[in-house]
């Protein structure tokens, strides 16, 4: 049974010191949403934009690990100052930065999760930011609903993978954004293909793309990203901001800047 999403309306927060707020989500887990978010932030920061990431996936936070961000946020005037990535200075706010043990699970119910996300927006000094990227949790329930209702989002970018199952779940997330009148930028198909290290030909480990299913629902495919072992390696090492595939980074940059 679906609850009316207008049953408990939330007043939109104001954008203070933030020019663009983009949400990156999929509805489905395991499609590389956090990696795409981190790489998009890297692409923008390299072009001279000031970028922040609000890691709203509270029960599965990945952004600090991917970008090598650690340490408790400092405070100033009752606000949190987000730590920055070591090389490019991308600002990051994540629940994992507030835990004394990064392996400790966050076992919270919906209302508490929603309240923390609200605080991450209101009580963090996101000043002088050109782009704030919001890494959404999977699903279409409390946490993503709160974000879409509360934050002044300029756009929603979906992340999918080639399988039909992924397309089906992503369409649900996009329909949620449409119901809440959030502009949908389109979708990134992640893990779309791989390049053989021996013959250098592209092949499709997950089979042929089902991107036409998204296009039938007016969701354009903006980029198709490869399976690249170096992304996993650099992410595990906390060095994803050193990733240097120019084609991938340019395609992500074009999505955010509409160029």
């Amino acid at each position: 049974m679906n609850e009316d999403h207008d049953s408990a309306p939330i007043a939109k927060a104001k954008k203070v010191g933030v020019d663009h707020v983009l949400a990156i989500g999929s509805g489905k887990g395991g499609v590389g949403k956090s990696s795409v978010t981190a790489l998009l932030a890297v692409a923008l920061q390299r072009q001279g934009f000031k970028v922040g990431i609000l890691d709203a996936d509270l029960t599965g936070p990945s952004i600090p690990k991917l970008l090598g961000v650690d340490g408790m946020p400092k405070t100033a005037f009752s606000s949190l100052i987000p730590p920055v990535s070591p090389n490019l200075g991308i600002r990051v706010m994540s629940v994992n930065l507030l835990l004394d043990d990064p392996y400790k699970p966050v076992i919270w119910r919906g209302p508490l999760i929603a309240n923390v996300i609200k605080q991450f927006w209101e009580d963090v000094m996101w000043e002088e930011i050109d782009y704030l990227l919001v890494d959404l949790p999977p699903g279409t329930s409390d946490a993503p609903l709160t974000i879409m209702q509360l934050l002044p989002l300029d756009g929603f970018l979906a992340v999918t993978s080639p399988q039909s199952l992924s397309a089906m779940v992503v369409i649900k997330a996009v329909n949620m954004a449409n119901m809440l009148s959030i502009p949908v930028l389109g979708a990134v198909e992640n893990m779309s293909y791989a390049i053989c290290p021996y013959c250098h030909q592209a092949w499709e480990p997950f089979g042929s793309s089902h991107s036409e299913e998204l296009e039938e629902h007016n969701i354009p495919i903006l980029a198709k990203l490869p399976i690249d072992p170096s992304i996993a390696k650099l992410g595990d090492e906390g060095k994803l901001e050193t990733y240097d595939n120019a084609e991938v980074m340019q395609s992500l940059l074009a999505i955010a800047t509409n160029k």
Side-chain angles (χ1 to χ4, degrees), residues 8-30:
I10 300 175
K12 285 281 187 181
K14 294 181 180 180
K15 285 197 291 188
V16 179
V18 179
D19 290 338
H20 305 284
V21 185
L22 303 179
I24 296 89
S26 65
K28 189 178 187 307

Side-chain angles (χ1 to χ4, degrees), residues 25-34 36 159-161 163 166 170 188-191:
S26 65
K28 189 178 187 307
V31 296
K33 167 185 54 63
S34 295
V36 170
V159 180
T160 188
S161 58
Q163 301 97 319
S166 179
V170 167
V188 171
E189 185 177 273
N190 195 28
M191 300 180 285

Side-chain angles (χ1 to χ4, degrees), residues 11 13 36 59 61 70 73 90 93 208 212:
V36 170
T59 58
D70 55 21
I90 298 168
M93 190 63 219
S208 299
E212 71 280 356

Side-chain angles (χ1 to χ4, degrees), residues 46-197:
R46 284 179 180 170
Q47 291 298 308
F49 296 106
K50 295 180 180 178
V51 185
I53 301 179
L54 193 164
D55 187 357
D57 193 354
L58 300 188
T59 58
S62 303
I63 297 298
K65 172 68 173 177
L66 293 171
L67 294 178
V69 178
D70 55 21
M72 295 283 287
K74 297 180 180 179
T75 59
F77 306 107
S78 300
S79 296
L80 293 173
I81 301 174
V84 299
S85 62
N87 292 328
L88 297 176
I90 298 168
R91 304 180 198 186
V92 174
M93 190 63 219
S94 172
V95 72
N96 247 29
L97 299 173
L98 302 174
L99 301 176
D100 54 8
D101 179 358
Y103 297 99
K104 182 181 294 184
V106 175
I107 308 175
W108 295 340
R109 296 188 183 276
L112 182 54
I113 290 177
N115 187 57
V116 170
I117 290 171
K118 183 178 179 181
Q119 288 184 299
F120 278 5
W121 170 259
E122 295 178 345
D123 298 339
V124 173
M125 297 179 69
W126 297 115
E127 295 179 346
E128 304 302 324
I129 291 282
D130 296 307
Y131 287 90
L132 180 65
L133 307 182
V134 183
D135 185 17
L136 292 177
T140 55
S141 56
D142 281 349
L145 176 61
T146 297
I147 294 164
M148 291 186 179
Q149 288 184 314
L150 173 68
L151 270 58
L153 297 176
D154 297 298
F156 173 79
L157 176 64
V159 180
T160 188
S161 58
Q163 301 97 319
S164 179
L165 174 61
S166 179
M168 180 190 71
V169 179
V170 167
I171 290 168
K172 289 177 181 286
V174 169
N175 285 339
M176 178 182 178
N178 287 330
M179 291 171 65
L180 296 170
S181 301
I182 297 168
V184 176
L185 304 179
V188 171
E189 185 177 273
N190 195 28
M191 300 180 285
S192 182
Y193 62 93
I195 302 296
C196 175

Side-chain angles (χ1 to χ4, degrees), residues 43 47 245-257 259:
Q47 291 298 308
N245 185 314
E247 183 178 353
V248 169
M249 303 307 282
Q250 187 59 42
S251 64
L252 290 172
L253 181 65
I255 292 171
T257 59
K259 295 180 181 179

